[in-house]
Amino acid sequence: MTTTEEKKQLIEEVLSVYPEQAQKKRSKHLNVFEEGKADCGVKSNVKSLPGVMTTRGCAYAGSKGVVWGPIKDMIHISHGPVGCGYYSWSGRRNYYIGTTGIDTFGTMQFTSDFQEKDIVFGGDKKLSKLILEIEELFPLNGGVSIQSECPIGLIGDDIEAVAKKTAKQINKTVVPVRCEGFRGVSQSLGHHIANDTIRDWVFPAADKEDLGFEPSPYDVAIIGDYNIGGDAWSSRILLEEMGLRVVAQWSGDGTLHEIKCTPKVKLNLVHCYRSMNYISRHMEEKYGIPWFEYNFFGPTKIAESLRAIAAHFDDTIKEGAERVIAQYQAQVDEIIAKYLPRLENKTVMMMVGGLRPRHVVPAFYDLGMKVIGTGYEFGHGDDYKRTTHYIEDSTLIYDDVTGYEFEKFVETLKPDLVASGIKEKYVFQKMALPFRQMHSWDYSGPYHGYDGFAIFARDMDLALNSPTWDLIGAPWKK
């Protein structure tokens, strides 16, 4: 099944099992990309249908798990019942350097552990006490964020008042984040809310502080890289080798002080557009800092991005970019020579969050592979417009795809590899399909940068060419 019309017919067949109203709504989220179109033709950022299996998270997950959580020197309190706090506890492998429990806290869990009496009488006093206890137990913390779970918005706890009061008591930054899980349609609103709290609670105070920052003409910040498996480190190597100074990492292996210094950089380099475009736009409007969305997946996009980044600076950096590209060319040639014969013409279907449904596509192309389907968990219209620059004609597109839809698409199109999240991994492996977990790299990584491309190529080969697949058969092959 390769033509656009055949794939559109497949969509109709998959939708036919739904009730009429569900068919009508879901049909707007499924399409086949036609070359030359300005967008992918799908509706996005809309509430998931009740009764279907969605892979989305909530606003709390977007704030705590993505934007704030990886900031290593702060303590992030899950304010509410212990359940949400436990299930957001360091699940994304955001690597960091430091001594856990002393000056870094990324893998520790802090919760206000709401009980019935807290729901009835409110948790403000408990939260205040908790912040003061944290300061006593962990005096080297850089500050505190309050990550609101659903009950906080429902009962009306005044976390802003608590933040102002306790910030004066401990003389540190305390940020209240109204990221209750029921807000919005997915984790995407949590990213936006978290960005806004940095804008409102961190930058205004930082503008008045003496940060001890001495600027240089080549200062940049990495925005929207969560250092999964060491991604930000791999990217930082290339930027520094070309002559730039990386002042801040947002937010993997990042600190509060780095965030405060970011409004002084010359260029913000945005990797995950969906989670961090809001704060990047704010810094452009208020501080005049331009931002650029780069892609460090695969050698084609790495070289293209390095040159585009260098174009914002002088000839020293432009020459540095060419030097770095040339320096790694032999390594790239060796990787492709080794893995292209093993991976060429293998087909892939993706379904991930953030930037990956488009950014990873060229890395597969660099290995001779073909992406026949892709989609976002919580993408917006601008994500799908950006995706048109990466995908080929007749690529199947699915927004917030349901468990049933994804399974049926895969059964019919029979890709050689499925690249998605942990919730889908074991479903497809039980179908005897090679699978790579593309949220946190299946406990591997990094995948960014030239060093990351070597690991990416190896992992795709291991997944696709493992002899274990010969021992079991997919249901449709029996």
Side-chain angles (χ1 to χ4, degrees):
M1 186 174 283
T2 57
T3 69
T4 297
E5 288 308 313
E6 285 175 326
K7 289 178 180 175
K8 286 186 176 180
Q9 182 60 38
L10 170 61
I11 291 172
E12 293 299 319
E13 291 171 8
V14 170
L15 288 171
S16 65
V17 303
Y18 290 138
E20 185 179 346
Q21 192 68 19
Q23 279 187 46
K24 187 177 179 182
K25 288 185 177 179
R26 282 302 302 158
S27 66
K28 297 173 183 176
H29 297 264
L30 307 172
N31 197 23
V32 184
F33 174 64
E34 297 176 59
E35 204 164 345
K37 294 285 180 73
D39 58 42
C40 293
V42 295
K43 198 168 185 179
S44 58
N45 196 33
V46 177
K47 184 177 181 287
S48 300
L49 284 179
V52 303
M53 184 69 78
T54 178
T55 57
R56 284 174 165 176
C58 66
Y60 163 78
S63 175
K64 169 68 167 63
V66 178
V67 177
W68 277 106
I71 298 171
K72 64 182 180 180
D73 67 334
M74 292 182 72
I75 287 175
H76 309 288
I77 299 171
S78 291
H79 188 37
V82 71
C84 290
Y86 178 82
Y87 286 106
S88 70
W89 180 13
S90 186
R92 298 186 73 229
R93 301 174 63 242
N94 308 109
Y95 286 0
Y96 60 86
I97 295 169
T99 305
T100 298
I102 304 299
D103 57 359
T104 49
F105 309 93
T107 53
M108 298 181 73
Q109 179 202 4
F110 297 86
T111 174
S112 53
D113 187 24
F114 259 46
Q115 303 299 311
E116 187 175 0
K117 62 180 175 59
D118 301 310
I119 299 293
V120 175
F121 298 108
D124 288 354
K125 291 181 180 178
K126 188 175 191 177
L127 179 61
S128 296
K129 184 181 178 185
L130 175 57
I131 293 170
L132 297 179
E133 285 181 356
I134 281 171
E135 182 61 20
E136 188 175 340
L137 291 168
F138 304 100
L140 297 184
N141 78 78
V144 174
S145 79
I146 303 163
Q147 305 291 322
S148 302
E149 298 172 20
C150 284
I152 306 310
L154 296 172
I155 66 175
D157 266 13
D158 192 348
I159 60 172
E160 290 81 9
V162 172
K164 289 176 182 176
K165 179 183 176 183
T166 54
K168 291 177 182 176
Q169 289 174 305
I170 66 174
N171 196 30
K172 288 181 181 176
T173 300
V174 181
V175 182
V177 191
R178 287 280 178 189
C179 56
E180 292 89 351
F182 57 75
R183 295 182 185 275
V185 301
S186 70
Q187 55 265 58
S188 181
L189 185 61
H191 306 149
H192 198 159
I193 292 167
N195 280 213
D196 287 351
T197 57
I198 294 169
R199 177 196 68 194
D200 297 338
W201 291 81
V202 177
F203 283 170
D207 290 342
K208 300 171 186 175
E209 286 182 42
D210 178 10
L211 300 171
F213 181 86
E214 295 183 10
S216 84
Y218 304 132
D219 292 339
V220 298
I222 295 174
I223 307 287
D225 192 326
Y226 303 100
N227 206 34
I228 295 169
D231 280 338
W233 295 336
S234 190
S235 299
R236 185 172 185 144
I237 288 169
L238 303 182
L239 297 171
E240 291 178 344
E241 283 179 344
M242 69 190 279
L244 297 173
R245 184 172 77 156
V246 179
V247 169
Q249 290 180 192
W250 287 43
S251 48
D253 195 37
T255 65
L256 181 61
H257 186 262
E258 288 178 36
I259 288 176
K260 289 178 177 181
C261 291
T262 302
K264 301 181 185 299
V265 304
K266 302 299 186 290
L267 178 67
N268 280 323
L269 300 175
V270 180
H271 210 248
C272 182
Y273 170 86
R274 182 71 276 132
S275 64
M276 289 286 193
N277 76 87
Y278 317 102
I279 197 68
S280 301
R281 293 176 193 278
H282 169 71
M283 283 189 273
E284 183 176 43
E285 291 168 7
K286 182 168 183 181
Y287 302 104
I289 305 169
W291 59 275
F292 170 73
E293 183 187 4
Y294 70 104
N295 182 352
F296 273 5
F297 284 104
T300 299
K301 282 297 176 182
I302 295 171
E304 185 182 302
S305 293
L306 287 173
R307 289 180 174 126
I309 292 166
H312 289 83
F313 296 94
D314 60 21
D315 288 344
T316 302
I317 302 301
K318 291 173 185 172
E319 290 165 8
E322 296 302 326
R323 183 180 64 252
V324 169
I325 293 165
Q327 175 186 331
Y328 286 94
Q329 191 57 51
Q331 178 180 318
V332 168
D333 293 342
E334 187 179 325
I335 294 164
I336 291 175
K338 180 177 180 179
Y339 292 107
L340 185 69
R342 300 172 63 81
L343 298 172
E344 195 168 16
N345 294 321
K346 298 289 187 182
T347 55
V348 185
M349 288 182 72
M350 280 196 291
M351 198 283 292
V352 214
L355 54 93
R356 296 175 184 83
R358 63 179 182 274
H359 271 205
V360 186
V361 171
F364 284 119
Y365 290 167
D366 286 335
L367 295 170
M369 301 171 75
K370 298 178 180 178
V371 176
I372 60 173
T374 191
Y376 297 82
E377 287 179 20
F378 48 84
H380 294 205
D382 47 2
D383 290 303
Y384 285 102
K385 284 181 181 177
R386 283 170 161 76
T387 306
T388 63
H389 304 304
Y390 290 89
I391 56 177
E392 296 178 342
D393 188 52
S394 80
T395 302
L396 184 64
I397 305 294
Y398 28 81
D399 174 70
D400 185 26
V401 71
T402 70
Y404 169 78
E405 292 162 3
F406 199 27
E407 189 174 327
K408 289 301 177 185
F409 289 150
V410 169
E411 279 185 12
T412 305
L413 297 179
K414 299 179 177 58
D416 297 300
L417 176 74
V418 178
S420 191
I422 192 66
K423 296 168 187 170
E424 301 79 60
K425 176 179 173 113
Y426 301 105
V427 173
F428 293 114
Q429 284 189 338
K430 287 173 182 176
M431 290 182 177
L433 268 172
F435 186 96
R436 285 304 298 181
Q437 207 270 72
M438 297 301 284
H439 282 284
S440 57
W441 310 153
D442 246 334
Y443 321 107
S444 183
Y447 281 178
H448 294 183
Y450 289 111
D451 294 338
F453 180 63
I455 298 168
F456 175 82
R458 180 204 66 188
D459 286 355
M460 298 310 120
D461 179 42
L462 286 172
L464 277 160
N465 296 308
S466 169
T468 55
W469 304 117
D470 296 331
L471 304 176
I472 52 177
W476 60 81
K477 292 178 181 176
K478 291 181 180 177

